[in-house]
Amino acid sequence: MMNLLMATYLITGIAGFIGSSLARAVLAQGDQVRGIDNLSTGKTENIAEIMGRVDFREADLLEIQAVQSACVGVDYVLHQAAIPSVPKSVLDPLGSNRSNVDATVNLLVAARDAKVKRVVFAASSSAYGDTPTLPKHEDMPPNPISPYAVAKLASEYYMISFYRCYALETVCLRYFNIFGPRQDPTSPYSGVLAKFITQMLKGEQPTIFGDGTQSRDFTYVDNAVEANLLACRAPAGEVAGRVFNVATGQRADLNETFRVLKKLTGYTGEVKYAPERAGDVKHSLADTSRAENYLGYKPKIDFEEGLQRTIEWYRSQENVAGGRPAPDLGVPSRI
Ligand code: UD1
């Protein structure tokens, strides 16, 4: 019998790395999951073991009717669907805008019309750009560099606008370099940790773009999952129409990250260096106090623990996540 206290969550990008982790967490708390994914970067393998328990719809967020029907009866939307890549957006700004902005506006209209309670959005730390001040606080003026960063920021503004104009409760979570199990290592646009770990486990040489002094607030995926669940529960007066950093408040540069990974993976080779990537941000570090104060967020898994868990997961996958590690091709160097 259906529990009337159960909430229904719509997860966009459910077959992706973060979406599929969210789906597991929502099911684990006893709620219902509906998912939508166009499988452009997501994979059904990521949700294979939970497929029987979710209402999965293969559709694109640009198909308005599919989105409208997906929003019917939904309490919370966790909007993760995106083409999440800085270099890809530099190569294809129109594609980035369609998937990251047009799709978001479609979803917002459908969520508003279906009277969804709240939409939580996967925003990005890239919105801060290359401003010299660290750590990044949400009140700092954004300064996006890449088309991807602009698209994520534009979507944030749409989120805020839908709260102000239509009272649709929206919360933006600015993710800082999320990593963990099921992150796809096989594309040249893959996140650096997914690439490095799978390359090093196979004894293949990773490449650092630039001199390796660039740093990131690398955040294990469970922390982001927790932030989403908290963002659904927090009182509207404290969180609706607002932006929150989701990170650890610590940063590591790529040279030291490579050294830690060497120790954890047993890789014995060296790293190679290639030109810096266009659109790249030099340093990224979050002030997480707003999320702590208003969401009750605390990063539970630190960088090294997250790396250990991630390495363990890739090791447990036959053939290292079922694919070849990403080639170091197709990324434009700084113009
Ligand atoms: C950016 C955003 C992040 C967003 C992500 C989506 C910032 C600070 N972060 O991540 O919030 O979720 O886009 O993709 O803007 N690198 C190498 N070798 C590789 C691959 C990458 O050296 O093989 C370097 C990159 O040049 C970069 C760093 O590693 O300096 C991190 O790159 P990546 O993992 O792609 O993420 P960001 O571009 O930082």
Side-chain angles (χ1 to χ4, degrees):
M1 209 172 66
M2 198 175 130
N3 180 349
L4 290 175
L5 295 174
M6 261 185 180
T8 300
Y9 287 70
L10 171 65
I11 302 175
T12 72
I14 191 173
F17 140 65
I18 302 175
S20 62
S21 304
L22 280 166
R24 284 169 174 79
V26 171
L27 289 172
Q29 72 179 13
D31 289 316
Q32 287 191 308
V33 173
R34 184 177 297 160
I36 188 164
D37 204 301
N38 66 1
L39 302 181
S40 67
T41 58
K43 298 195 211 101
T44 48
E45 291 116 83
N46 286 338
I47 47 172
E49 87 222 32
I50 53 166
M51 197 57 118
R53 294 195 286 150
V54 305
D55 170 4
F56 174 68
R57 300 165 184 214
E58 184 181 338
D60 196 298
L61 292 183
L62 294 171
E63 297 160 28
I64 187 75
Q65 277 163 354
V67 185
Q68 279 168 339
S69 124
C71 284
V72 172
V74 164
D75 298 291
Y76 304 105
V77 176
L78 307 178
H79 178 35
Q80 314 300 306
I83 302 222
S85 168
V86 169
K88 210 167 179 175
S89 78
V90 174
L91 289 173
D92 181 15
L94 283 172
S96 170
N97 191 72
R98 272 193 297 274
S99 309
N100 298 325
V101 183
D102 293 348
T104 298
V105 183
N106 262 0
L107 177 68
L108 279 170
V109 168
R112 177 201 64 188
D113 293 349
K115 304 208 173 350
V116 161
K117 281 191 192 128
R118 193 170 289 183
V119 178
V120 180
F121 171 58
S124 169
S125 62
S126 57
Y128 292 109
D130 240 348
T131 46
T133 321
L134 292 176
K136 309 291 187 198
H137 185 275
E138 296 87 340
D139 285 335
M140 287 178 181
N143 187 22
I145 299 174
S146 61
Y148 171 75
V150 171
K152 282 287 179 181
L153 183 62
S155 293
E156 272 187 22
Y157 286 132
Y158 272 114
M159 290 284 153
I160 296 165
S161 151
F162 270 62
Y163 177 58
R164 292 194 176 152
C165 296
Y166 311 111
L168 171 64
E169 292 175 14
T170 56
V171 185
C172 299
L173 301 179
R174 278 189 187 161
Y175 292 166
F176 281 66
N177 293 73
I178 312 296
F179 72 98
R182 293 189 296 278
Q183 189 168 28
D184 178 12
T186 61
S187 140
Y189 309 113
S190 295
V192 66
L193 295 177
K195 279 175 76 178
F196 277 19
I197 291 170
T198 50
Q199 286 167 332
M200 291 165 82
L201 286 176
K202 287 191 161 190
E204 293 173 7
Q205 189 175 34
T207 303
I208 288 181
F209 301 128
D211 63 5
T213 58
Q214 71 265 47
S215 60
R216 294 291 184 271
D217 190 334
F218 290 113
T219 305
Y220 187 65
V221 63
D222 285 14
N223 298 318
V225 166
E226 176 77 2
N228 275 271
L229 301 180
L230 290 166
C232 293
R233 292 197 285 264
E238 313 235 296
V239 302
R242 297 191 78 186
V243 175
F244 297 89
N245 288 340
V246 171
T248 67
Q250 310 278 328
R251 70 186 162 118
D253 78 24
L254 284 192
N255 291 323
E256 69 190 87
T257 299
F258 171 70
R259 284 193 293 274
V260 175
L261 287 177
K262 241 180 129 164
K263 191 179 74 186
L264 296 176
T265 59
Y267 175 77
T268 52
E270 283 312 314
V271 68
K272 61 176 181 270
Y273 290 86
E276 189 182 327
R277 235 166 45 175
D280 224 20
V281 162
K282 187 75 184 171
H283 299 295
S284 177
L285 171 70
D287 177 333
T288 56
S289 53
R290 185 185 285 181
E292 287 174 27
N293 293 338
Y294 294 95
L295 300 177
Y297 167 82
K298 265 253 171 266
K300 288 193 184 132
I301 310 289
D302 68 17
F303 181 46
E304 193 153 338
E305 169 73 25
L307 284 181
Q308 275 165 0
R309 291 187 186 199
T310 307
I311 291 167
E312 216 168 282
W313 184 83
Y314 283 118
R315 273 207 174 109
S316 75
Q317 300 302 294
E318 264 179 31
N319 204 9
V320 188
R324 292 177 50 74
D328 294 319
L329 306 169
V331 284
S333 57
R334 192 175 277 281
I335 314 147

